[in-house]
Amino acid sequence: MKNIKSIIAVFLAVISTGLMAQTTANNGIREAAAKGKSDLLKLLSENKEFNFGVSAREVEVAQISNPIESFSTEFNSLLNDTSGNIATISRSENVYIVPLTTENKTVTTISVASSSKGTKVVELVNQQYTSELNDLPVEIKRANFKGLKVINVPNIDATLYVFNDKCYTSYNGRSVREGSNILEVTRQLQNDARTFQAKFGEELKKGKLVK
Amino acid sequence: MKTKRIIILGLITGLLFLTQSCCKPGLIGSVNNTLRPQETNNWCWAATTQMIAQNEGVSKTQCELANHRFGKTNCCNDEPTDNTCRKTNDCNSPGWLELDYCGLKFSESATALSWDELKKSIYCSKDVLGFAYGQSGVVGHVVAVKGYVTVNGTNYVVLNDPWGPCVGQERLITYEEYVDPTGAKTHWNTWYNISKK
């Protein structure tokens, strides 16, 4: 009986420590995003020489929404994947896309990097994320993006939004408004990755290329 | 008469040198540079070359650059399956900056410029810089650096990013992100000190 009590106590302690660590990390990301918002607001208020597609007024009234964790697919794993699920061959980049929203509309995003060294802003304004987050189905926006992940697939430039095992992407004529089966999207990406590799794999071994 | 001319020329050169070396960049600096979105999925190199070249008064289209790079003549054809600005898929391939072909001379560095160097390049020399980044074994990305600003103690770099195709975007990254991009990506190259040959 005593043993069972001890095991339960240790189990609860481990869970609460994990939850506390997660909350602390989440708070750090939100604090960094708040600093990014403050910087962007100051920049937009005081300087008119840049065009970031967002106004100071929009940023001022926007709320900091839930951070969206960003993942990057291992290209070689995609080439040889048999799991059929791109989420399992993608690694966290330790970067979080934080939407600034007003009434379910994303006005812009702040990107925050989090590592053992600390949490910091890395990017203000990303119009691709802003536009695509606005096009996602309303239930994802109503949930303030909680549970949403973004996966970037290198070389073939696919950006996937994964929510409740559904995949939303504008890749290759698809629409982020409609969820697709993740296995089906992974198959298509794998075919395209193999085509890319056949076409440019050797050239890439010889030197750097950009696209 | 000849000596007088040499003295005047010397004075002008000296004055120009002094003006340049005395130039002190402000907290914000930018170069007026029109954003050129890339005209295929793979043409960030062509769009960035175009933006850098236009800053030096050289006009080149992205498809001209692609024709040159790939030794083709059809890269200016529109892509028939698409009604945006996209050019033919036959030339839709990655590449590298083509500044030499545009008649430009330049310096390049595999490491990032210091904050002071970057500010001087933009504020004093009015250069638009090229910045390539990526990870080993994967195709990277190149953008034009057109400005900088310090806000609340944080240094930011302003980019004319040719991605996405036919859209592009003006965006801001921290100077730290320019020096050492997050994740597996690294700084690959900065093109600076650009002028006509």
Side-chain angles (χ1 to χ4, degrees):
Chain A
M1 191 62 184
K2 213 174 178 182
N3 278 348
I4 291 172
K5 273 185 183 171
S6 305
I7 290 166
I8 291 171
V10 169
F11 181 69
L12 288 175
V14 168
I15 286 182
S16 61
T17 309
L19 284 174
M20 272 171 64
Q22 201 174 10
T23 310
T24 309
N26 206 21
N27 287 346
I29 294 163
R30 283 175 173 275
E31 277 169 26
K35 149 86 171 130
K37 178 186 166 180
S38 161
D39 288 358
L40 182 59
L41 185 57
K42 188 165 190 231
L43 175 64
L44 293 171
S45 308
E46 295 176 5
N47 304 284
K48 305 292 172 205
E49 55 197 292
F50 301 117
N51 175 20
F52 299 119
V54 61
S55 70
R57 174 77 190 135
E58 284 175 303
V59 172
E60 189 176 17
V61 298
Q63 303 292 313
I64 291 168
S65 201
N66 286 310
I68 304 162
E69 191 169 2
S70 174
F71 292 76
S72 179
T73 304
E74 302 261 334
F75 192 72
N76 285 332
S77 303
L78 176 61
L79 292 173
N80 306 311
D81 178 62
T82 51
S83 74
N85 187 343
I86 198 149
T88 61
I89 49 168
S90 302
R91 283 194 186 166
S92 175
E93 294 183 298
N94 294 321
V95 173
Y96 297 82
I97 316 303
V98 185
L100 299 186
T101 59
T102 315
E103 293 168 3
N104 287 337
K105 185 193 169 211
T106 299
V107 297
T108 192
T109 60
I110 309 278
S111 298
V112 171
S114 182
S115 69
S116 53
K117 290 180 198 162
T119 305
K120 60 183 184 181
V121 174
V122 291
E123 180 190 57
L124 306 179
V125 182
N126 186 306
Q127 290 174 35
Q128 182 190 354
Y129 285 137
T130 303
S131 163
E132 293 189 333
L133 291 176
N134 278 322
D135 284 344
L136 285 171
V138 73
E139 66 263 29
I140 300 176
K141 290 186 268 189
R142 278 204 197 116
N144 283 327
F145 308 107
K146 195 166 189 180
L148 182 68
K149 288 175 185 171
V150 61
I151 300 176
N152 292 300
V153 188
N155 288 340
I156 53 174
D157 285 324
T159 302
L160 317 174
Y161 299 87
V162 178
F163 184 77
N164 285 347
D165 290 330
K166 282 271 180 193
C167 179
Y168 303 82
T169 179
S170 58
Y171 180 73
N172 210 10
R174 291 172 187 267
S175 167
V176 288
R177 293 170 201 271
E178 287 166 31
S180 302
N181 181 300
I182 203 161
L183 303 178
E184 184 198 321
V185 175
T186 304
R187 260 197 306 274
Q188 186 190 358
L189 292 170
Q190 187 175 51
N191 285 338
D192 292 352
R194 286 174 176 168
T195 305
F196 175 92
Q197 188 65 12
K199 206 170 170 188
F200 302 113
E202 282 308 308
E203 203 180 338
L204 258 178
K205 282 182 195 163
K206 290 178 198 155
K208 288 171 179 164
L209 291 170
V210 287
K211 63 186 297 189
Chain B
M1 191 66 183
K2 209 175 175 184
T3 321
K4 210 172 176 183
R5 271 192 194 162
I6 291 169
I7 291 169
I8 290 171
L9 206 68
L11 281 171
I12 291 171
T13 312
L15 202 65
L16 279 173
F17 176 76
L18 277 174
T19 315
Q20 194 67 14
S21 53
C22 289
C23 173
K24 284 196 178 143
L27 282 177
I28 183 167
S30 72
V31 178
N32 188 10
N33 187 246
T34 305
L35 173 65
R36 303 287 180 183
Q38 56 193 80
E39 294 173 359
T40 75
N41 280 11
N42 286 305
W43 283 8
C44 69
W45 56 272
T48 301
T49 302
Q50 186 183 28
M51 288 188 275
I52 292 173
Q54 76 189 7
N55 191 53
E56 303 299 329
V58 176
S59 175
K60 288 279 181 209
T61 61
Q62 293 176 36
C63 60
E64 270 180 272
L65 297 167
N67 274 333
H68 164 72
R69 181 167 184 95
F70 305 127
K72 294 187 174 192
T73 55
N74 65 335
C75 296
C76 293
N77 295 348
D78 290 332
E79 172 52 38
T81 60
D82 190 283
N83 59 3
T84 62
C85 77
R86 283 178 196 260
K87 301 299 181 198
T88 174
N89 281 339
D90 191 42
C91 299
N92 186 6
S93 298
W96 200 244
L97 289 198
E98 291 286 351
L99 299 178
D100 192 53
Y101 174 68
C102 294
L104 302 175
K105 56 182 181 180
F106 55 89
S107 303
E108 54 187 324
S109 168
T111 53
L113 298 190
S114 72
W115 179 239
D116 277 346
E117 284 170 334
L118 185 139
K119 286 197 298 181
K120 276 190 174 171
S121 294
I122 292 166
Y123 192 92
C124 303
S125 305
K126 293 288 172 205
D127 263 347
V128 168
L129 314 176
F131 161 44
Y133 59 95
Q135 68 186 88
S136 176
V138 167
V139 179
H141 188 48
V142 65
V143 296
V145 177
K146 62 166 277 190
Y148 70 86
V149 61
T150 301
V151 192
N152 297 327
T154 304
N155 297 329
Y156 290 97
V157 176
V158 185
L159 310 176
N160 260 351
D161 185 346
W163 183 261
C166 306
V167 183
Q169 58 178 321
E170 202 169 312
R171 63 187 179 96
L172 280 157
I173 56 170
T174 56
Y175 171 70
E176 277 183 64
E177 178 69 5
Y178 156 72
V179 174
D180 184 16
T182 43
K185 297 185 194 91
T186 57
H187 173 282
W188 275 2
N189 217 53
T190 293
W191 290 262
Y192 64 105
N193 206 9
I194 300 158
S195 61
K196 271 188 192 169
K197 280 180 189 165

